[in-house]
Amino acid sequence: MRLDRLLSHSPLYSRRRSRLLISAGRLRVDGEVVRDPRHEVSTFQRVELDDALLQAGRSARYWMLHKPVGVVSATRHDSHRTVLDLLDEADKHELHLAGRLDLNTSGLLLLSNDGHWSRRITLPEQRKPKVYLVDTEQPISADYAEVFARGLYFAYEDLTTLPARLELLGSHRARLTLFEGRYHQVKRMFGHFRNRVVALHREQMGEIHLDPNLAPGQYRALTAAEIASV
């Protein structure tokens, strides 16, 4: 929200009066004087007019969760446990998910109350890598990597997927790196070869890797470096 709009929400200050106060250097955002009425302020920032506190600023929360199989990536569900049920945090209902995982997919899930941050890591235009361990029913041959690197045509969306990287780890296991997030994309890509995915685990989103010390169902706060990487 623009700083002048935030100030003018008070019945004491008109929009014109708000702009004059800001231009006079009487507003501080996180302790710094701001003179631009168009300055964007988030709900996480502290805003003061002289010695009066206008907005205390909410605490931004950023969590990494090792999602287990069988838990729904949702805030509520009638018949399954949700990822929020795994969190022992008083403000967990203010959180939203940055990139969901299917019921039977495990691995890295990010949660935050900072909507701008979540959108940055999930926007398709960002093309941030998403890395998955994939186990399949049938053997995986080398030609999978060639096809994935060229892109696959999805008739339903009438589009060709972005080039993806495939690293063979065994006869039935591979590491797949995607740069987009289409509906059931991994399963549909392997389905092109009529090879069913039997296990799927996300290891990485952008520069954030799943902490190997987290057991399924455990979580931790993101580090400052992990937050800044987005």
Side-chain angles (χ1 to χ4, degrees):
M1 179 185 295
R2 282 172 41 152
L3 185 57
D4 58 349
R5 289 178 182 167
L6 175 67
L7 186 55
S8 64
H9 280 177
S10 167
L12 300 176
Y13 309 107
S14 66
R15 180 67 65 85
R16 183 175 180 276
R17 175 66 174 158
S18 298
R19 290 173 178 168
L20 289 173
L21 290 170
I22 296 167
S23 299
R26 294 175 61 183
L27 271 290
R28 295 192 305 276
V29 178
D30 290 338
E32 299 291 331
V33 173
V34 175
R35 297 178 183 270
D36 182 0
R38 298 168 298 178
H39 182 84
E40 289 290 330
V41 179
S42 78
T43 58
F44 305 108
Q45 292 181 293
R46 182 182 180 89
V47 181
E48 298 165 282
L49 169 61
D50 297 331
D51 294 326
L53 180 63
L54 301 180
Q55 176 176 283
R58 292 192 300 144
S59 296
R61 306 290 188 187
Y62 308 91
W63 302 104
M64 167 193 299
L65 169 71
H66 185 165
K67 178 194 168 302
V69 170
V71 175
V72 177
S73 294
T75 56
R76 62 177 62 185
H77 197 277
D78 293 335
S79 55
H80 291 283
R81 281 196 307 164
T82 73
V83 291
L84 289 191
D85 293 328
L86 303 176
L87 304 183
D88 185 19
E89 303 295 329
D91 59 352
K92 65 182 181 180
H93 293 291
E94 297 179 6
L95 302 174
H96 48 261
L97 284 56
R100 298 172 183 269
L101 292 173
D102 293 340
L103 178 67
N104 294 318
T105 300
S106 62
L108 175 63
L109 190 66
L110 301 175
L111 304 98
S112 177
N113 61 354
D114 183 346
H116 291 291
W117 185 88
S118 299
R119 282 191 288 275
R120 283 199 298 273
I121 199 169
T122 55
L123 274 176
E125 295 82 4
Q126 297 290 335
R127 297 191 177 182
K128 293 187 179 293
K130 302 176 183 67
V131 183
Y132 298 86
L133 277 180
V134 186
D135 292 290
T136 59
E137 190 173 61
Q138 306 297 329
I140 306 169
S141 58
D143 57 331
Y144 283 46
E146 298 174 10
V147 172
F148 291 172
R150 290 197 301 266
L152 278 169
Y153 178 69
F154 284 175
Y156 181 77
E157 294 95 333
D158 189 26
L159 58 80
T160 299
T161 61
L162 293 174
R165 294 197 300 261
L166 187 72
E167 175 190 0
L168 295 180
L169 303 176
S171 61
H172 294 68
R173 170 170 279 203
R175 177 172 286 112
L176 177 65
T177 302
L178 302 177
F179 297 91
E180 59 188 331
R182 304 292 174 187
Y183 178 71
H184 286 170
Q185 183 170 350
V186 176
K187 295 175 181 178
R188 292 165 72 188
M189 289 172 70
F190 282 87
H192 173 80
F193 295 94
R194 292 179 172 78
N195 194 353
R196 189 171 70 89
V197 172
V198 296
L200 187 59
H201 178 84
R202 185 159 67 195
E203 298 182 307
Q204 179 184 343
M205 287 184 70
E207 301 303 315
I208 302 176
H209 298 254
L210 178 62
D211 191 328
N213 294 315
L214 291 179
Q218 292 184 332
Y219 66 98
R220 69 161 172 81
L222 295 187
T223 65
E226 288 169 336
I227 296 167
S229 72
V230 175

PDB file of all heavy atoms in Angstrom, residues 26-56:
ATOM      1  N   ARG A  26       8.129  13.883   8.115  1.00  0.00           N
ATOM      2  CA  ARG A  26       7.642  13.516   9.442  1.00  0.00           C
ATOM      3  C   ARG A  26       7.248  12.036   9.558  1.00  0.00           C
ATOM      4  O   ARG A  26       6.871  11.584  10.634  1.00  0.00           O
ATOM      5  CB  ARG A  26       6.459  14.416   9.814  1.00  0.00           C
ATOM      6  CG  ARG A  26       6.868  15.879   9.977  1.00  0.00           C
ATOM      7  CD  ARG A  26       5.685  16.773  10.228  1.00  0.00           C
ATOM      8  NE  ARG A  26       4.969  16.420  11.458  1.00  0.00           N
ATOM      9  CZ  ARG A  26       3.851  17.037  11.867  1.00  0.00           C
ATOM     10  NH1 ARG A  26       3.338  18.018  11.137  1.00  0.00           N
ATOM     11  NH2 ARG A  26       3.259  16.670  12.989  1.00  0.00           N
ATOM     12  N   LEU A  27       7.333  11.306   8.452  1.00  0.00           N
ATOM     13  CA  LEU A  27       7.011   9.869   8.466  1.00  0.00           C
ATOM     14  C   LEU A  27       8.291   9.039   8.437  1.00  0.00           C
ATOM     15  O   LEU A  27       9.232   9.347   7.687  1.00  0.00           O
ATOM     16  CB  LEU A  27       6.152   9.500   7.259  1.00  0.00           C
ATOM     17  CG  LEU A  27       4.619   9.613   7.389  1.00  0.00           C
ATOM     18  CD1 LEU A  27       4.066   8.560   8.314  1.00  0.00           C
ATOM     19  CD2 LEU A  27       4.212  10.996   7.833  1.00  0.00           C
ATOM     20  N   ARG A  28       8.310   7.985   9.249  1.00  0.00           N
ATOM     21  CA  ARG A  28       9.422   7.042   9.244  1.00  0.00           C
ATOM     22  C   ARG A  28       8.891   5.632   8.972  1.00  0.00           C
ATOM     23  O   ARG A  28       7.872   5.235   9.558  1.00  0.00           O
ATOM     24  CB  ARG A  28      10.179   7.058  10.577  1.00  0.00           C
ATOM     25  CG  ARG A  28      10.881   8.366  10.875  1.00  0.00           C
ATOM     26  CD  ARG A  28      11.848   8.230  12.050  1.00  0.00           C
ATOM     27  NE  ARG A  28      11.187   7.701  13.244  1.00  0.00           N
ATOM     28  CZ  ARG A  28      10.500   8.451  14.112  1.00  0.00           C
ATOM     29  NH1 ARG A  28      10.353   9.748  13.898  1.00  0.00           N
ATOM     30  NH2 ARG A  28       9.947   7.894  15.182  1.00  0.00           N
ATOM     31  N   VAL A  29       9.592   4.923   8.126  1.00  0.00           N
ATOM     32  CA  VAL A  29       9.279   3.524   7.832  1.00  0.00           C
ATOM     33  C   VAL A  29      10.464   2.692   8.272  1.00  0.00           C
ATOM     34  O   VAL A  29      11.581   2.873   7.763  1.00  0.00           O
ATOM     35  CB  VAL A  29       8.975   3.304   6.342  1.00  0.00           C
ATOM     36  CG1 VAL A  29       8.703   1.821   6.062  1.00  0.00           C
ATOM     37  CG2 VAL A  29       7.795   4.155   5.891  1.00  0.00           C
ATOM     38  N   ASP A  30      10.236   1.818   9.229  1.00  0.00           N
ATOM     39  CA  ASP A  30      11.318   1.013   9.817  1.00  0.00           C
ATOM     40  C   ASP A  30      12.477   1.897  10.256  1.00  0.00           C
ATOM     41  O   ASP A  30      13.658   1.574  10.073  1.00  0.00           O
ATOM     42  CB  ASP A  30      11.804  -0.049   8.822  1.00  0.00           C
ATOM     43  CG  ASP A  30      10.784  -1.142   8.597  1.00  0.00           C
ATOM     44  OD1 ASP A  30       9.908  -1.329   9.461  1.00  0.00           O
ATOM     45  OD2 ASP A  30      10.852  -1.816   7.547  1.00  0.00           O
ATOM     46  N   GLY A  31      12.127   3.041  10.830  1.00  0.00           N
ATOM     47  CA  GLY A  31      13.134   3.935  11.392  1.00  0.00           C
ATOM     48  C   GLY A  31      13.763   4.907  10.417  1.00  0.00           C
ATOM     49  O   GLY A  31      14.520   5.796  10.834  1.00  0.00           O
ATOM     50  N   GLU A  32      13.452   4.778   9.121  1.00  0.00           N
ATOM     51  CA  GLU A  32      14.044   5.642   8.104  1.00  0.00           C
ATOM     52  C   GLU A  32      13.005   6.662   7.623  1.00  0.00           C
ATOM     53  O   GLU A  32      11.864   6.305   7.335  1.00  0.00           O
ATOM     54  CB  GLU A  32      14.527   4.815   6.906  1.00  0.00           C
ATOM     55  CG  GLU A  32      15.602   3.789   7.241  1.00  0.00           C
ATOM     56  CD  GLU A  32      16.926   4.436   7.609  1.00  0.00           C
ATOM     57  OE1 GLU A  32      17.194   5.550   7.092  1.00  0.00           O
ATOM     58  OE2 GLU A  32      17.677   3.845   8.407  1.00  0.00           O
ATOM     59  N   VAL A  33      13.427   7.921   7.532  1.00  0.00           N
ATOM     60  CA  VAL A  33      12.530   8.970   7.044  1.00  0.00           C
ATOM     61  C   VAL A  33      12.227   8.739   5.567  1.00  0.00           C
ATOM     62  O   VAL A  33      13.130   8.487   4.764  1.00  0.00           O
ATOM     63  CB  VAL A  33      13.160  10.367   7.237  1.00  0.00           C
ATOM     64  CG1 VAL A  33      12.295  11.445   6.572  1.00  0.00           C
ATOM     65  CG2 VAL A  33      13.328  10.670   8.718  1.00  0.00           C
ATOM     66  N   VAL A  34      10.944   8.812   5.212  1.00  0.00           N
ATOM     67  CA  VAL A  34      10.500   8.650   3.823  1.00  0.00           C
ATOM     68  C   VAL A  34       9.733   9.906   3.426  1.00  0.00           C
ATOM     69  O   VAL A  34       8.809  10.323   4.123  1.00  0.00           O
ATOM     70  CB  VAL A  34       9.603   7.404   3.664  1.00  0.00           C
ATOM     71  CG1 VAL A  34       9.055   7.320   2.238  1.00  0.00           C
ATOM     72  CG2 VAL A  34      10.380   6.138   4.004  1.00  0.00           C
ATOM     73  N   ARG A  35      10.108  10.478   2.280  1.00  0.00           N
ATOM     74  CA  ARG A  35       9.472  11.719   1.818  1.00  0.00           C
ATOM     75  C   ARG A  35       8.648  11.517   0.548  1.00  0.00           C
ATOM     76  O   ARG A  35       8.064  12.476   0.043  1.00  0.00           O
ATOM     77  CB  ARG A  35      10.542  12.792   1.557  1.00  0.00           C
ATOM     78  CG  ARG A  35      11.321  13.207   2.807  1.00  0.00           C
ATOM     79  CD  ARG A  35      12.395  14.225   2.467  1.00  0.00           C
ATOM     80  NE  ARG A  35      13.193  14.569   3.630  1.00  0.00           N
ATOM     81  CZ  ARG A  35      12.914  15.557   4.474  1.00  0.00           C
ATOM     82  NH1 ARG A  35      11.842  16.322   4.267  1.00  0.00           N
ATOM     83  NH2 ARG A  35      13.695  15.806   5.507  1.00  0.00           N
ATOM     84  N   ASP A  36       8.604  10.285   0.050  1.00  0.00           N
ATOM     85  CA  ASP A  36       7.857  10.008  -1.177  1.00  0.00           C
ATOM     86  C   ASP A  36       6.479   9.453  -0.821  1.00  0.00           C
ATOM     87  O   ASP A  36       6.383   8.348  -0.269  1.00  0.00           O
ATOM     88  CB  ASP A  36       8.623   9.001  -2.036  1.00  0.00           C
ATOM     89  CG  ASP A  36       7.930   8.705  -3.363  1.00  0.00           C
ATOM     90  OD1 ASP A  36       6.849   9.281  -3.623  1.00  0.00           O
ATOM     91  OD2 ASP A  36       8.472   7.886  -4.135  1.00  0.00           O
ATOM     92  N   PRO A  37       5.392  10.189  -1.117  1.00  0.00           N
ATOM     93  CA  PRO A  37       4.043   9.688  -0.778  1.00  0.00           C
ATOM     94  C   PRO A  37       3.702   8.376  -1.468  1.00  0.00           C
ATOM     95  O   PRO A  37       2.846   7.628  -0.983  1.00  0.00           O
ATOM     96  CB  PRO A  37       3.121  10.813  -1.277  1.00  0.00           C
ATOM     97  CG  PRO A  37       3.988  12.027  -1.343  1.00  0.00           C
ATOM     98  CD  PRO A  37       5.354  11.523  -1.727  1.00  0.00           C
ATOM     99  N   ARG A  38       4.390   8.078  -2.592  1.00  0.00           N
ATOM    100  CA  ARG A  38       4.101   6.857  -3.343  1.00  0.00           C
ATOM    101  C   ARG A  38       4.884   5.650  -2.836  1.00  0.00           C
ATOM    102  O   ARG A  38       4.750   4.551  -3.382  1.00  0.00           O
ATOM    103  CB  ARG A  38       4.408   7.079  -4.820  1.00  0.00           C
ATOM    104  CG  ARG A  38       3.558   8.168  -5.474  1.00  0.00           C
ATOM    105  CD  ARG A  38       4.089   8.540  -6.836  1.00  0.00           C
ATOM    106  NE  ARG A  38       5.447   9.082  -6.720  1.00  0.00           N
ATOM    107  CZ  ARG A  38       6.193   9.465  -7.749  1.00  0.00           C
ATOM    108  NH1 ARG A  38       5.721   9.362  -8.973  1.00  0.00           N
ATOM    109  NH2 ARG A  38       7.408   9.943  -7.559  1.00  0.00           N
ATOM    110  N   HIS A  39       5.690   5.847  -1.834  1.00  0.00           N
ATOM    111  CA  HIS A  39       6.491   4.757  -1.272  1.00  0.00           C
ATOM    112  C   HIS A  39       5.588   3.601  -0.839  1.00  0.00           C
ATOM    113  O   HIS A  39       4.609   3.802  -0.114  1.00  0.00           O
ATOM    114  CB  HIS A  39       7.299   5.267  -0.079  1.00  0.00           C
ATOM    115  CG  HIS A  39       8.199   4.244   0.542  1.00  0.00           C
ATOM    116  ND1 HIS A  39       9.450   3.965   0.069  1.00  0.00           N
ATOM    117  CD2 HIS A  39       8.000   3.411   1.605  1.00  0.00           C
ATOM    118  CE1 HIS A  39      10.004   3.029   0.811  1.00  0.00           C
ATOM    119  NE2 HIS A  39       9.137   2.666   1.745  1.00  0.00           N
ATOM    120  N   GLU A  40       5.902   2.387  -1.295  1.00  0.00           N
ATOM    121  CA  GLU A  40       5.090   1.213  -0.962  1.00  0.00           C
ATOM    122  C   GLU A  40       5.466   0.668   0.415  1.00  0.00           C
ATOM    123  O   GLU A  40       6.651   0.470   0.706  1.00  0.00           O
ATOM    124  CB  GLU A  40       5.276   0.121  -2.021  1.00  0.00           C
ATOM    125  CG  GLU A  40       4.645   0.447  -3.371  1.00  0.00           C
ATOM    126  CD  GLU A  40       3.122   0.426  -3.322  1.00  0.00           C
ATOM    127  OE1 GLU A  40       2.567  -0.340  -2.507  1.00  0.00           O
ATOM    128  OE2 GLU A  40       2.493   1.167  -4.099  1.00  0.00           O
ATOM    129  N   VAL A  41       4.454   0.423   1.215  1.00  0.00           N
ATOM    130  CA  VAL A  41       4.647  -0.083   2.578  1.00  0.00           C
ATOM    131  C   VAL A  41       3.928  -1.419   2.710  1.00  0.00           C
ATOM    132  O   VAL A  41       2.769  -1.554   2.302  1.00  0.00           O
ATOM    133  CB  VAL A  41       4.095   0.922   3.615  1.00  0.00           C
ATOM    134  CG1 VAL A  41       4.287   0.378   5.027  1.00  0.00           C
ATOM    135  CG2 VAL A  41       4.787   2.266   3.474  1.00  0.00           C
ATOM    136  N   SER A  42       4.601  -2.396   3.286  1.00  0.00           N
ATOM    137  CA  SER A  42       3.965  -3.694   3.519  1.00  0.00           C
ATOM    138  C   SER A  42       3.437  -3.766   4.941  1.00  0.00           C
ATOM    139  O   SER A  42       3.771  -2.929   5.796  1.00  0.00           O
ATOM    140  CB  SER A  42       4.968  -4.834   3.286  1.00  0.00           C
ATOM    141  OG  SER A  42       5.836  -4.970   4.399  1.00  0.00           O
ATOM    142  N   THR A  43       2.621  -4.770   5.193  1.00  0.00           N
ATOM    143  CA  THR A  43       2.056  -4.940   6.540  1.00  0.00           C
ATOM    144  C   THR A  43       3.115  -5.365   7.550  1.00  0.00           C
ATOM    145  O   THR A  43       2.850  -5.373   8.748  1.00  0.00           O
ATOM    146  CB  THR A  43       0.940  -5.997   6.527  1.00  0.00           C
ATOM    147  OG1 THR A  43       1.470  -7.241   6.049  1.00  0.00           O
ATOM    148  CG2 THR A  43      -0.218  -5.564   5.649  1.00  0.00           C
ATOM    149  N   PHE A  44       4.318  -5.711   7.063  1.00  0.00           N
ATOM    150  CA  PHE A  44       5.383  -6.161   7.956  1.00  0.00           C
ATOM    151  C   PHE A  44       6.293  -5.016   8.401  1.00  0.00           C
ATOM    152  O   PHE A  44       7.226  -5.230   9.169  1.00  0.00           O
ATOM    153  CB  PHE A  44       6.224  -7.239   7.269  1.00  0.00           C
ATOM    154  CG  PHE A  44       5.420  -8.408   6.775  1.00  0.00           C
ATOM    155  CD1 PHE A  44       5.206  -8.608   5.426  1.00  0.00           C
ATOM    156  CD2 PHE A  44       4.858  -9.298   7.669  1.00  0.00           C
ATOM    157  CE1 PHE A  44       4.454  -9.670   4.970  1.00  0.00           C
ATOM    158  CE2 PHE A  44       4.098 -10.366   7.226  1.00  0.00           C
ATOM    159  CZ  PHE A  44       3.896 -10.557   5.874  1.00  0.00           C
ATOM    160  N   GLN A  45       6.009  -3.802   7.928  1.00  0.00           N
ATOM    161  CA  GLN A  45       6.875  -2.674   8.243  1.00  0.00           C
ATOM    162  C   GLN A  45       6.271  -1.781   9.332  1.00  0.00           C
ATOM    163  O   GLN A  45       5.056  -1.598   9.419  1.00  0.00           O
ATOM    164  CB  GLN A  45       7.137  -1.839   6.981  1.00  0.00           C
ATOM    165  CG  GLN A  45       7.973  -2.584   5.951  1.00  0.00           C
ATOM    166  CD  GLN A  45       8.248  -1.754   4.710  1.00  0.00           C
ATOM    167  OE1 GLN A  45       7.335  -1.441   3.951  1.00  0.00           O
ATOM    168  NE2 GLN A  45       9.511  -1.387   4.507  1.00  0.00           N
ATOM    169  N   ARG A  46       7.159  -1.201  10.137  1.00  0.00           N
ATOM    170  CA  ARG A  46       6.765  -0.284  11.202  1.00  0.00           C
ATOM    171  C   ARG A  46       6.682   1.129  10.615  1.00  0.00           C
ATOM    172  O   ARG A  46       7.620   1.598   9.950  1.00  0.00           O
ATOM    173  CB  ARG A  46       7.797  -0.330  12.334  1.00  0.00           C
ATOM    174  CG  ARG A  46       7.486   0.552  13.538  1.00  0.00           C
ATOM    175  CD  ARG A  46       8.609   0.451  14.556  1.00  0.00           C
ATOM    176  NE  ARG A  46       8.362   1.285  15.736  1.00  0.00           N
ATOM    177  CZ  ARG A  46       7.707   0.884  16.806  1.00  0.00           C
ATOM    178  NH1 ARG A  46       7.223  -0.347  16.860  1.00  0.00           N
ATOM    179  NH2 ARG A  46       7.529   1.692  17.841  1.00  0.00           N
ATOM    180  N   VAL A  47       5.556   1.810  10.863  1.00  0.00           N
ATOM    181  CA  VAL A  47       5.347   3.158  10.327  1.00  0.00           C
ATOM    182  C   VAL A  47       5.036   4.101  11.480  1.00  0.00           C
ATOM    183  O   VAL A  47       4.155   3.824  12.304  1.00  0.00           O
ATOM    184  CB  VAL A  47       4.200   3.183   9.290  1.00  0.00           C
ATOM    185  CG1 VAL A  47       4.027   4.594   8.723  1.00  0.00           C
ATOM    186  CG2 VAL A  47       4.461   2.186   8.164  1.00  0.00           C
ATOM    187  N   GLU A  48       5.762   5.234  11.523  1.00  0.00           N
ATOM    188  CA  GLU A  48       5.580   6.207  12.592  1.00  0.00           C
ATOM    189  C   GLU A  48       5.402   7.613  12.011  1.00  0.00           C
ATOM    190  O   GLU A  48       6.041   7.969  11.023  1.00  0.00           O
ATOM    191  CB  GLU A  48       6.789   6.210  13.523  1.00  0.00           C
ATOM    192  CG  GLU A  48       7.034   4.892  14.239  1.00  0.00           C
ATOM    193  CD  GLU A  48       8.418   4.822  14.851  1.00  0.00           C
ATOM    194  OE1 GLU A  48       9.380   4.580  14.092  1.00  0.00           O
ATOM    195  OE2 GLU A  48       8.530   5.024  16.082  1.00  0.00           O
ATOM    196  N   LEU A  49       4.552   8.400  12.650  1.00  0.00           N
ATOM    197  CA  LEU A  49       4.389   9.819  12.362  1.00  0.00           C
ATOM    198  C   LEU A  49       4.861  10.577  13.591  1.00  0.00           C
ATOM    199  O   LEU A  49       4.226  10.515  14.653  1.00  0.00           O
ATOM    200  CB  LEU A  49       2.928  10.150  12.063  1.00  0.00           C
ATOM    201  CG  LEU A  49       2.566  11.646  11.994  1.00  0.00           C
ATOM    202  CD1 LEU A  49       3.347  12.354  10.893  1.00  0.00           C
ATOM    203  CD2 LEU A  49       1.067  11.830  11.807  1.00  0.00           C
ATOM    204  N   ASP A  50       5.987  11.274  13.452  1.00  0.00           N
ATOM    205  CA  ASP A  50       6.639  11.887  14.609  1.00  0.00           C
ATOM    206  C   ASP A  50       6.851  10.804  15.667  1.00  0.00           C
ATOM    207  O   ASP A  50       7.502   9.813  15.408  1.00  0.00           O
ATOM    208  CB  ASP A  50       5.806  13.064  15.138  1.00  0.00           C
ATOM    209  CG  ASP A  50       5.692  14.189  14.103  1.00  0.00           C
ATOM    210  OD1 ASP A  50       6.634  14.333  13.286  1.00  0.00           O
ATOM    211  OD2 ASP A  50       4.680  14.900  14.111  1.00  0.00           O
ATOM    212  N   ASP A  51       6.243  10.939  16.831  1.00  0.00           N
ATOM    213  CA  ASP A  51       6.401   9.923  17.890  1.00  0.00           C
ATOM    214  C   ASP A  51       5.195   8.995  17.998  1.00  0.00           C
ATOM    215  O   ASP A  51       5.124   8.161  18.908  1.00  0.00           O
ATOM    216  CB  ASP A  51       6.624  10.608  19.245  1.00  0.00           C
ATOM    217  CG  ASP A  51       7.945  11.363  19.295  1.00  0.00           C
ATOM    218  OD1 ASP A  51       8.904  10.884  18.668  1.00  0.00           O
ATOM    219  OD2 ASP A  51       7.995  12.428  19.933  1.00  0.00           O
ATOM    220  N   ALA A  52       4.252   9.140  17.069  1.00  0.00           N
ATOM    221  CA  ALA A  52       3.038   8.315  17.108  1.00  0.00           C
ATOM    222  C   ALA A  52       3.220   7.083  16.215  1.00  0.00           C
ATOM    223  O   ALA A  52       3.657   7.195  15.063  1.00  0.00           O
ATOM    224  CB  ALA A  52       1.837   9.116  16.641  1.00  0.00           C
ATOM    225  N   LEU A  53       2.871   5.919  16.750  1.00  0.00           N
ATOM    226  CA  LEU A  53       2.968   4.674  15.995  1.00  0.00           C
ATOM    227  C   LEU A  53       1.684   4.481  15.190  1.00  0.00           C
ATOM    228  O   LEU A  53       0.593   4.373  15.753  1.00  0.00           O
ATOM    229  CB  LEU A  53       3.166   3.497  16.949  1.00  0.00           C
ATOM    230  CG  LEU A  53       3.279   2.105  16.314  1.00  0.00           C
ATOM    231  CD1 LEU A  53       4.499   2.024  15.410  1.00  0.00           C
ATOM    232  CD2 LEU A  53       3.340   1.033  17.400  1.00  0.00           C
ATOM    233  N   LEU A  54       1.825   4.433  13.868  1.00  0.00           N
ATOM    234  CA  LEU A  54       0.674   4.220  12.991  1.00  0.00           C
ATOM    235  C   LEU A  54       0.475   2.747  12.665  1.00  0.00           C
ATOM    236  O   LEU A  54      -0.640   2.282  12.501  1.00  0.00           O
ATOM    237  CB  LEU A  54       0.852   5.004  11.689  1.00  0.00           C
ATOM    238  CG  LEU A  54       1.006   6.520  11.814  1.00  0.00           C
ATOM    239  CD1 LEU A  54       1.180   7.141  10.442  1.00  0.00           C
ATOM    240  CD2 LEU A  54      -0.189   7.124  12.536  1.00  0.00           C
ATOM    241  N   GLN A  55       1.578   2.017  12.528  1.00  0.00           N
ATOM    242  CA  GLN A  55       1.510   0.588  12.200  1.00  0.00           C
ATOM    243  C   GLN A  55       2.698  -0.102  12.838  1.00  0.00           C
ATOM    244  O   GLN A  55       3.849   0.256  12.563  1.00  0.00           O
ATOM    245  CB  GLN A  55       1.518   0.387  10.680  1.00  0.00           C
ATOM    246  CG  GLN A  55       1.558  -1.064  10.242  1.00  0.00           C
ATOM    247  CD  GLN A  55       1.478  -1.224   8.743  1.00  0.00           C
ATOM    248  OE1 GLN A  55       0.423  -1.103   8.145  1.00  0.00           O
ATOM    249  NE2 GLN A  55       2.626  -1.500   8.104  1.00  0.00           N
ATOM    250  N   ALA A  56       2.419  -1.089  13.681  1.00  0.00           N
ATOM    251  CA  ALA A  56       3.506  -1.775  14.388  1.00  0.00           C
ATOM    252  C   ALA A  56       4.290  -2.699  13.471  1.00  0.00           C
ATOM    253  O   ALA A  56       5.492  -2.899  13.645  1.00  0.00           O
ATOM    254  CB  ALA A  56       2.945  -2.563  15.566  1.00  0.00           C
TER     255      ALA A  56
END
